[in-house]
Amino acid sequence: MTDSTAPRTALVTGGSGGIGRAVVTRLVDDGLAVGVHYAGNRATAESLVEEITTAGGQAIAVGGDVADEHAVAAAFDAVESAFGGIDVVVNTAGIMVLGSIAEYDLDRFDQIVRTNLRGAFVVSQQAARRVRDGGAIINFSTSVTRTQLPRYGPYVATKAAVEGLTPILARELRGRDITVNSVAPGPTATPLFFDGNTEQTVQALTAATPLERLGRPEDIAETVSHLAGPARWVNGQTVFVNGGLA
């Protein structure tokens, strides 16, 4: 028998920093128990978990390479063991290595495909098997699939594939009341964004939106919160969260 008083539970990949951290914090504020996934920075994830639990929330840290199916299965196992099941999976984990298509190093290409595409597929596969009926799966794309900026080709290729995967999984989960969507942020003030762009590019992108600012991680987390909870009629979609960037 299901315990109706138990909190809903989420697993957030890449949850220890940037947008992932904001998503974790928002979902905890929404009353969910959260598995905070990290790839390499265990200390940061554990610090976030400590902040959450000290404030009265529920969270655990889980690690592993998102492209390793055994590591991902173990992360799902740990969250299920701690909280009794999984209702929401948010796949924010990803890397961004920019460069022109003509000059791009193929070893780097293999790396970005492994993390962003294979990783998204592996996490989605486990989510399809594990998320409880009535839950939500939320992948991450990028608004650059529309803006088509130079030097983003390899990154966009991986994210466009995730956008294609998302509605198909939504249809494959017919009958289980599980929504599957992608969130496509625009320029967002995170270390990943600042590390990958010149100051000139940052200024240009800041001015490009009608709101004339960069997005904040909290802006993206707000949309994730909606898709994870009340947005039960949004399914198989990519939601562009970019302040009106063309």
Side-chain angles (χ1 to χ4, degrees):
M1 182 176 179
T2 302
D3 182 0
S4 60
T5 65
R8 295 173 72 235
T9 299
L11 171 62
V12 180
T13 70
S16 62
I19 291 173
R21 181 185 181 94
V23 168
V24 167
T25 301
R26 177 58 186 261
L27 293 180
V28 169
D29 288 345
D30 290 344
L32 279 72
V34 180
V36 181
H37 168 271
Y38 63 91
N41 200 333
R42 178 176 179 176
T44 301
E46 291 181 342
S47 176
L48 176 57
V49 167
E50 184 177 0
E51 289 179 24
I52 292 167
T53 55
T54 299
Q58 297 185 61
I60 62 168
V62 294
D65 176 2
V66 289
D68 181 336
E69 64 272 29
H70 303 294
V72 170
F76 274 77
D77 288 343
V79 175
E80 288 178 339
S81 178
F83 302 125
I86 298 177
D87 302 288
V88 177
V89 172
V90 186
N91 189 25
T92 76
I95 60 174
M96 183 172 66
V97 182
L98 303 184
S100 69
I101 294 170
E103 303 297 332
Y104 206 81
D105 181 83
L106 290 180
D107 288 338
R108 285 192 169 184
F109 183 74
D110 289 343
Q111 179 186 18
I112 199 171
V113 168
R114 176 177 171 80
T115 299
N116 293 0
L117 179 51
R118 179 184 167 91
F121 189 92
V122 170
V123 172
S124 293
Q125 185 177 70
Q126 284 295 320
R129 297 171 179 175
R130 308 276 198 118
V131 167
R132 292 186 286 208
D133 291 1
I137 300 168
I138 303 164
N139 289 316
F140 263 67
S141 180
T142 172
S143 287
V144 191
T145 57
R146 282 187 174 176
T147 59
Q148 301 165 352
L149 296 174
R151 302 183 68 246
Y152 279 81
Y155 179 69
V156 165
T158 63
K159 292 301 187 177
V162 172
E163 285 187 21
L165 180 71
T166 294
I168 292 174
L169 181 56
R171 285 156 179 76
E172 289 181 349
L173 294 181
R174 172 185 291 273
R176 292 180 54 191
D177 191 28
I178 294 173
T179 61
V180 187
N181 294 288
S182 293
V183 172
T188 306
T190 65
L192 182 69
F193 173 75
F194 289 119
D195 290 346
N197 289 288
T198 66
E199 179 61 29
Q200 182 180 10
T201 300
V202 170
Q203 291 178 359
L205 289 172
T206 300
T209 70
L211 299 179
E212 297 185 323
R213 67 170 174 86
L214 295 176
R216 296 181 290 262
E218 293 77 14
D219 295 322
I220 314 306
E222 180 179 48
T223 297
V224 172
S225 170
H226 189 57
L227 293 173
R232 301 307 303 167
W233 197 235
V234 181
N235 192 23
Q237 306 301 311
T238 296
V239 181
F240 289 81
V241 188
N242 58 26
L245 187 69

